[in-house]
Coordinates of all heavy atoms in Angstrom, one line a residue:
M750 N 1.1 8.7 -5.4 CA -0.1 8.0 -5.9 C -0.9 7.6 -4.7 O -0.4 7.5 -3.6 CB 0.3 6.7 -6.7 CG 0.9 5.6 -5.8 SD 1.7 4.3 -6.7 CE 3.2 5.0 -7.1
Q751 N -2.2 7.4 -5.0 CA -3.1 7.0 -3.9 C -3.9 5.8 -4.3 O -4.4 5.7 -5.5 CB -4.1 8.2 -3.7 CG -4.9 8.1 -2.5 CD -5.7 9.3 -2.2 OE1 -5.9 10.2 -3.1 NE2 -6.1 9.5 -0.9
L752 N -3.9 4.8 -3.4 CA -4.7 3.6 -3.7 C -5.6 3.3 -2.5 O -5.5 3.9 -1.4 CB -3.7 2.4 -3.8 CG -2.6 2.5 -4.8 CD1 -1.5 1.4 -4.6 CD2 -3.2 2.3 -6.2
R753 N -6.6 2.5 -2.8 CA -7.5 2.1 -1.8 C -7.3 0.6 -1.5 O -7.2 -0.2 -2.5 CB -9.0 2.3 -2.2 CG -10.0 1.8 -1.2 CD -11.4 1.8 -1.7 NE -11.9 3.2 -1.8 CZ -12.5 3.8 -0.8 NH1 -12.7 3.2 0.3 NH2 -13.0 5.1 -1.0
V754 N -7.1 0.2 -0.2 CA -6.9 -1.2 0.1 C -8.0 -1.6 1.1 O -7.8 -1.3 2.4 CB -5.5 -1.5 0.7 CG1 -5.3 -2.9 1.0 CG2 -4.5 -1.0 -0.3
N755 N -9.1 -2.1 0.7 CA -10.3 -2.3 1.6 C -10.0 -3.4 2.6 O -10.7 -3.4 3.6 CB -11.5 -2.7 0.7 CG -12.1 -1.4 0.1 OD1 -12.1 -0.4 0.7 ND2 -12.6 -1.6 -1.2
D756 N -9.1 -4.3 2.3 CA -8.8 -5.4 3.3 C -7.6 -5.0 4.2 O -7.1 -5.9 4.9 CB -8.6 -6.7 2.6 CG -7.7 -6.7 1.4 OD1 -7.1 -5.7 1.2 OD2 -7.6 -7.7 0.7
M757 N -7.3 -3.7 4.3 CA -6.3 -3.3 5.3 C -7.1 -2.9 6.5 O -7.8 -1.9 6.6 CB -5.6 -2.0 4.7 CG -4.6 -1.4 5.7 SD -3.8 0.0 4.9 CE -5.1 1.2 4.7
M758 N -7.0 -3.8 7.6 CA -7.9 -3.7 8.7 C -7.3 -3.1 10.0 O -8.0 -2.7 10.9 CB -8.5 -5.1 9.1 CG -9.2 -5.8 7.9 SD -10.6 -4.9 7.3 CE -11.8 -5.1 8.6
C759 N -6.0 -3.2 10.1 CA -5.3 -2.8 11.4 C -3.9 -2.4 11.1 O -3.4 -2.5 10.0 CB -5.4 -3.9 12.4 SG -4.4 -5.4 12.0
N760 N -3.2 -2.1 12.2 CA -1.8 -1.6 12.1 C -0.9 -2.7 11.6 O 0.2 -2.5 11.1 CB -1.3 -1.0 13.4 CG -1.9 0.3 13.6 OD1 -2.2 1.0 12.7 ND2 -2.0 0.7 14.9
H761 N -1.3 -4.0 11.9 CA -0.5 -5.1 11.4 C -0.5 -5.1 9.8 O 0.5 -5.3 9.2 CB -1.1 -6.4 11.9 CG -0.2 -7.6 11.9 ND1 -0.6 -8.8 12.3 CD2 1.0 -7.7 11.4 CE1 0.4 -9.7 12.1 NE2 1.4 -9.0 11.6
C762 N -1.7 -4.9 9.3 CA -1.8 -4.8 7.8 C -1.0 -3.7 7.3 O -0.3 -3.8 6.3 CB -3.3 -4.6 7.4 SG -4.4 -5.8 8.0
V763 N -1.0 -2.6 8.0 CA -0.3 -1.4 7.6 C 1.2 -1.7 7.5 O 1.9 -1.4 6.5 CB -0.5 -0.2 8.5 CG1 0.5 0.9 8.3 CG2 -1.9 0.3 8.4
M764 N 1.7 -2.4 8.5 CA 3.1 -2.8 8.6 C 3.5 -3.7 7.4 O 4.5 -3.5 6.7 CB 3.4 -3.5 9.9 CG 4.9 -3.7 10.2 SD 5.1 -4.6 11.7 CE 4.4 -6.2 11.3
H765 N 2.6 -4.7 7.1 CA 2.9 -5.6 5.9 C 2.9 -4.8 4.6 O 3.8 -5.0 3.8 CB 1.8 -6.6 5.8 CG 1.9 -7.7 6.8 ND1 3.0 -8.6 6.8 CD2 1.1 -8.2 7.8 CE1 2.8 -9.5 7.7 NE2 1.7 -9.3 8.3
I766 N 2.0 -3.9 4.5 CA 2.0 -3.1 3.2 C 3.2 -2.2 3.1 O 3.8 -2.1 2.1 CB 0.6 -2.3 3.2 CG1 -0.5 -3.3 2.9 CG2 0.7 -1.2 2.1 CD1 -1.9 -2.7 3.2
K767 N 3.5 -1.5 4.2 CA 4.7 -0.6 4.1 C 6.0 -1.4 3.9 O 6.8 -1.0 3.0 CB 4.9 0.1 5.5 CG 3.9 1.2 5.7 CD 4.2 2.0 7.0 CE 3.3 3.2 7.1 NZ 3.5 4.0 8.3
N768 N 6.1 -2.6 4.5 CA 7.3 -3.4 4.3 C 7.4 -3.9 2.9 O 8.5 -3.9 2.3 CB 7.3 -4.6 5.2 CG 7.6 -4.2 6.7 OD1 8.1 -3.1 6.9 ND2 7.4 -5.1 7.6
A769 N 6.3 -4.2 2.3 CA 6.3 -4.7 0.9 C 6.7 -3.6 -0.1 O 7.4 -3.9 -1.0 CB 4.8 -5.2 0.5
I770 N 6.2 -2.4 0.2 CA 6.6 -1.3 -0.8 C 8.0 -0.9 -0.5 O 8.8 -0.7 -1.5 CB 5.6 -0.1 -0.5 CG1 4.2 -0.5 -1.0 CG2 6.1 1.1 -1.4 CD1 3.1 0.4 -0.5
N771 N 8.4 -0.8 0.8 CA 9.8 -0.4 1.1 C 10.9 -1.5 0.6 O 12.0 -1.1 0.4 CB 10.0 -0.1 2.5 CG 9.4 1.3 2.9 OD1 8.7 1.4 3.9 ND2 9.7 2.3 2.1
A772 N 10.4 -2.7 0.5 CA 11.3 -3.7 -0.1 C 11.7 -3.4 -1.5 O 12.8 -3.8 -2.0 CB 10.7 -5.1 0.0
R773 N 10.8 -2.8 -2.2 CA 11.1 -2.4 -3.6 C 11.7 -1.0 -3.8 O 12.3 -0.7 -4.8 CB 9.8 -2.6 -4.4 CG 9.4 -4.0 -4.6 CD 8.0 -4.2 -5.0 NE 7.7 -5.6 -5.3 CZ 7.4 -6.5 -4.3 NH1 7.5 -6.2 -3.1 NH2 7.1 -7.8 -4.7
D774 N 11.3 -0.1 -2.9 CA 11.9 1.2 -2.9 C 12.1 1.7 -1.4 O 11.1 2.1 -0.8 CB 10.9 2.2 -3.6 CG 11.4 3.6 -3.5 OD1 12.6 3.8 -3.0 OD2 10.7 4.5 -3.9
P775 N 13.3 1.5 -0.9 CA 13.6 1.9 0.5 C 13.3 3.3 0.8 O 13.0 3.7 2.0 CB 15.1 1.5 0.7 CG 15.4 0.5 -0.4 CD 14.5 0.9 -1.6
A776 N 13.3 4.2 -0.2 CA 13.1 5.6 0.0 C 11.6 6.0 -0.1 O 11.2 7.1 0.1 CB 13.9 6.4 -1.1
A777 N 10.7 5.0 -0.4 CA 9.3 5.3 -0.5 C 8.7 5.8 0.8 O 9.1 5.2 1.8 CB 8.6 4.1 -1.0
K778 N 7.9 6.8 0.7 CA 7.1 7.2 1.9 C 5.7 6.7 1.7 O 5.1 7.0 0.7 CB 7.2 8.7 2.0 CG 8.6 9.3 2.2 CD 8.6 10.6 2.9 CE 9.9 11.1 3.4 NZ 11.0 10.6 2.6
V779 N 5.3 5.9 2.7 CA 3.9 5.3 2.7 C 3.1 5.8 3.9 O 3.6 5.7 5.0 CB 4.1 3.8 2.7 CG1 2.7 3.1 2.5 CG2 5.0 3.3 1.6
Q780 N 1.9 6.3 3.6 CA 1.0 6.7 4.6 C -0.3 5.9 4.5 O -0.9 5.9 3.4 CB 0.7 8.2 4.6 CG 1.8 9.1 5.1 CD 1.4 10.5 5.1 OE1 1.2 11.1 4.1 NE2 1.3 11.1 6.3
C781 N -0.7 5.2 5.5 CA -1.9 4.4 5.5 C -2.9 4.9 6.5 O -2.5 5.2 7.6 CB -1.5 2.9 5.8 SG -0.3 2.2 4.7
N782 N -4.1 4.8 6.1 CA -5.2 5.2 7.0 C -6.2 4.0 7.0 O -6.9 3.7 6.0 CB -5.9 6.5 6.5 CG -7.0 6.9 7.5 OD1 -7.8 6.2 8.0 ND2 -7.0 8.2 7.7
V783 N -6.3 3.3 8.2 CA -7.1 2.1 8.2 C -8.6 2.4 8.3 O -9.4 1.6 8.0 CB -6.7 1.2 9.4 CG1 -5.3 0.6 9.3 CG2 -6.9 2.0 10.7
T784 N -8.9 3.7 8.6 CA -10.3 4.1 8.6 C -10.9 4.3 7.2 O -11.9 3.8 6.9 CB -10.5 5.3 9.5 OG1 -9.9 5.1 10.8 CG2 -12.0 5.7 9.7
T785 N -10.1 5.1 6.5 CA -10.5 5.4 5.1 C -10.1 4.4 4.1 O -10.5 4.4 2.9 CB -10.0 6.8 4.7 OG1 -8.6 6.7 4.7 CG2 -10.5 7.9 5.6
K786 N -9.2 3.5 4.5 CA -8.6 2.4 3.6 C -7.7 3.0 2.6 O -7.4 2.4 1.5 CB -9.7 1.6 2.9 CG -10.7 1.0 3.9 CD -10.1 0.2 4.9 CE -11.2 -0.5 5.8 NZ -10.7 -1.1 7.0
M787 N -7.2 4.2 2.8 CA -6.4 4.9 1.8 C -4.9 4.6 2.1 O -4.4 4.6 3.2 CB -6.6 6.4 1.8 CG -7.9 6.9 1.4 SD -8.3 6.4 -0.3 CE -10.0 6.9 -0.4
V788 N -4.2 4.4 1.0 CA -2.7 4.2 1.0 C -2.1 5.3 0.1 O -2.3 5.3 -1.1 CB -2.3 2.8 0.6 CG1 -0.7 2.7 0.6 CG2 -2.9 1.8 1.5
M789 N -1.4 6.2 0.7 CA -0.7 7.2 -0.1 C 0.8 6.8 -0.2 O 1.4 6.6 0.8 CB -0.7 8.6 0.6 CG -2.2 9.1 0.9 SD -2.7 10.1 -0.4 CE -1.7 11.6 0.0
V790 N 1.3 6.8 -1.4 CA 2.7 6.4 -1.7 C 3.4 7.4 -2.4 O 3.0 7.9 -3.5 CB 2.7 5.1 -2.5 CG1 4.2 4.6 -2.6 CG2 1.9 4.0 -1.8
D791 N 4.5 7.9 -1.8 CA 5.4 8.9 -2.5 C 6.7 8.1 -2.9 O 7.5 7.7 -2.0 CB 5.8 10.0 -1.5 CG 6.7 11.0 -2.1 OD1 7.0 10.9 -3.3 OD2 7.1 12.0 -1.4
S792 N 6.7 7.7 -4.2 CA 7.8 6.8 -4.6 C 8.0 7.0 -6.1 O 7.1 7.4 -6.8 CB 7.4 5.4 -4.4 OG 8.3 4.5 -5.0
S793 N 9.2 6.7 -6.6 CA 9.4 6.7 -8.0 C 9.0 5.4 -8.7 O 9.1 5.3 -10.0 CB 10.9 6.9 -8.3 OG 11.7 5.9 -7.7
L794 N 8.5 4.4 -8.0 CA 8.0 3.2 -8.6 C 6.7 3.4 -9.4 O 5.9 4.3 -9.1 CB 7.7 2.2 -7.4 CG 8.8 1.7 -6.6 CD1 8.2 0.9 -5.4 CD2 9.8 0.8 -7.4
D795 N 6.6 2.6 -10.4 CA 5.3 2.6 -11.2 C 4.2 2.2 -10.3 O 4.4 1.3 -9.4 CB 5.4 1.7 -12.4 CG 6.2 2.3 -13.5 OD1 6.5 3.5 -13.5 OD2 6.5 1.5 -14.4
E796 N 3.0 2.7 -10.6 CA 1.8 2.3 -9.8 C 1.6 0.8 -9.9 O 1.2 0.1 -8.9 CB 0.6 3.0 -10.3 CG -0.6 2.8 -9.4 CD -1.8 3.5 -9.9 OE1 -2.3 3.3 -11.1 OE2 -2.3 4.4 -9.2
S797 N 1.9 0.2 -11.1 CA 1.7 -1.2 -11.2 C 2.6 -2.0 -10.3 O 2.2 -3.1 -9.8 CB 1.9 -1.6 -12.7 OG 3.2 -1.3 -13.1
I798 N 3.8 -1.6 -10.1 CA 4.8 -2.2 -9.2 C 4.3 -2.2 -7.8 O 4.4 -3.2 -7.0 CB 6.2 -1.6 -9.4 CG1 6.7 -1.7 -10.8 CG2 7.2 -2.3 -8.4 CD1 6.9 -3.1 -11.3
V799 N 3.8 -1.0 -7.4 CA 3.3 -0.8 -6.0 C 2.1 -1.7 -5.8 O 2.0 -2.4 -4.8 CB 3.0 0.6 -5.7 CG1 2.3 0.8 -4.4 CG2 4.2 1.5 -5.8
M800 N 1.2 -1.8 -6.8 CA 0.0 -2.6 -6.6 C 0.4 -4.1 -6.5 O -0.1 -4.9 -5.8 CB -0.9 -2.4 -7.8 CG -1.6 -1.0 -7.8 SD -2.8 -0.8 -9.1 CE -4.2 -1.8 -8.4
Q801 N 1.4 -4.5 -7.3 CA 1.9 -5.9 -7.3 C 2.5 -6.2 -5.9 O 2.3 -7.3 -5.3 CB 3.0 -6.1 -8.4 CG 3.5 -7.5 -8.5 CD 2.4 -8.5 -8.9 OE1 1.4 -8.1 -9.6 NE2 2.5 -9.7 -8.4
A802 N 3.3 -5.2 -5.3 CA 3.8 -5.4 -4.0 C 2.8 -5.6 -3.0 O 2.9 -6.6 -2.1 CB 4.7 -4.2 -3.7
I803 N 1.7 -4.8 -3.0 CA 0.6 -5.0 -2.1 C -0.1 -6.3 -2.2 O -0.5 -7.0 -1.3 CB -0.4 -3.8 -2.2 CG1 0.4 -2.5 -1.8 CG2 -1.6 -4.0 -1.3 CD1 -0.4 -1.2 -2.1
K804 N -0.3 -6.7 -3.5 CA -1.0 -8.0 -3.8 C -0.1 -9.2 -3.2 O -0.7 -10.1 -2.6 CB -1.1 -8.2 -5.3 CG -2.3 -7.4 -5.8 CD -2.4 -7.7 -7.3 CE -3.3 -6.6 -8.0 NZ -3.2 -6.6 -9.5
E805 N 1.2 -9.1 -3.4 CA 2.1 -10.2 -2.9 C 2.1 -10.2 -1.4 O 2.3 -11.3 -0.8 CB 3.5 -10.0 -3.5 CG 3.5 -10.4 -5.0 CD 4.9 -10.2 -5.6 OE1 5.9 -9.9 -4.8 OE2 5.0 -10.2 -6.8
A806 N 1.8 -9.1 -0.7 CA 1.7 -9.1 0.7 C 0.4 -9.7 1.2 O 0.1 -9.8 2.4 CB 1.9 -7.6 1.2
G807 N -0.6 -10.0 0.3 CA -1.8 -10.6 0.6 C -3.0 -9.7 0.6 O -4.1 -10.1 1.1
Y808 N -2.9 -8.5 0.1 CA -3.9 -7.5 0.1 C -4.4 -7.2 -1.3 O -3.8 -7.6 -2.3 CB -3.5 -6.3 0.9 CG -3.1 -6.6 2.3 CD1 -1.8 -6.8 2.6 CD2 -4.1 -6.7 3.3 CE1 -1.5 -7.2 3.9 CE2 -3.8 -7.1 4.6 CZ -2.4 -7.3 4.9 OH -2.1 -7.7 6.2
T809 N -5.5 -6.4 -1.3 CA -6.2 -6.2 -2.6 C -6.3 -4.7 -2.9 O -7.2 -4.0 -2.4 CB -7.6 -6.7 -2.6 OG1 -7.6 -8.0 -2.0 CG2 -8.2 -6.8 -4.0
P810 N -5.3 -4.1 -3.6 CA -5.3 -2.7 -3.9 C -6.2 -2.4 -5.1 O -6.4 -3.2 -6.0 CB -3.8 -2.4 -4.3 CG -3.4 -3.7 -4.9 CD -4.1 -4.8 -4.2
E811 N -6.8 -1.2 -5.0 CA -7.7 -0.7 -6.1 C -7.2 0.7 -6.4 O -6.8 1.5 -5.6 CB -9.1 -0.6 -5.6 CG -9.8 -1.9 -5.3 CD -11.1 -1.7 -4.6 OE1 -11.7 -0.6 -4.7 OE2 -11.6 -2.7 -4.0
K812 N -7.2 1.0 -7.7 CA -6.9 2.3 -8.2 C -8.0 3.3 -7.7 O -9.2 2.9 -7.7 CB -6.8 2.4 -9.7 CG -5.5 1.6 -10.2 CD -5.3 1.8 -11.7 CE -4.2 0.9 -12.1 NZ -3.8 1.2 -13.5
M813 N -7.6 4.5 -7.5 CA -8.6 5.5 -7.1 C -9.3 6.1 -8.3 O -8.8 6.1 -9.4 CB -7.9 6.7 -6.3 CG -7.3 6.2 -5.0 SD -8.5 5.5 -4.0 CE -9.6 6.9 -3.7
Ligands
CU1442 CU1 -4.5 -6.1 10.0

């Protein structure tokens, strides 16, 4: 799945987002691009769960 996180500003944000998703699915593969604000997630988790994880980390995910 692909999400946009406009308030992902730096590698610190990337680390928070990756940790939040991996806490729910340790096998999840997460690729973040701070320039395009794109977050690509390869996981068996529902999109709603991934979005909730990102919100709880303090960020604002949007569906593509
Ligand atoms: Cu940051």
Side-chain angles (χ1 to χ4, degrees):
M750 74 193 75
Q751 192 169 21
L752 300 168
R753 178 189 285 273
V754 183
N755 283 323
D756 46 9
M757 176 176 70
M758 304 301 286
C759 69
N760 285 334
H761 197 182
C762 304
V763 168
M764 190 183 67
H765 280 297
I766 290 168
K767 284 185 173 177
N768 286 346
I770 296 168
N771 282 134
R773 287 160 177 81
D774 175 9
K778 293 204 170 36
V779 184
Q780 285 186 295
C781 301
N782 185 318
V783 294
T784 305
T785 62
K786 312 300 185 192
M787 293 298 174
V788 177
M789 301 266 288
V790 184
D791 182 2
S792 169
S793 56
L794 295 172
D795 283 348
E796 186 178 64
S797 61
I798 302 293
V799 173
M800 290 184 76
Q801 184 63 31
I803 295 172
K804 282 179 196 166
E805 285 177 13
Y808 299 95
T809 313
E811 294 170 18
K812 292 186 184 189
M813 296 302 298

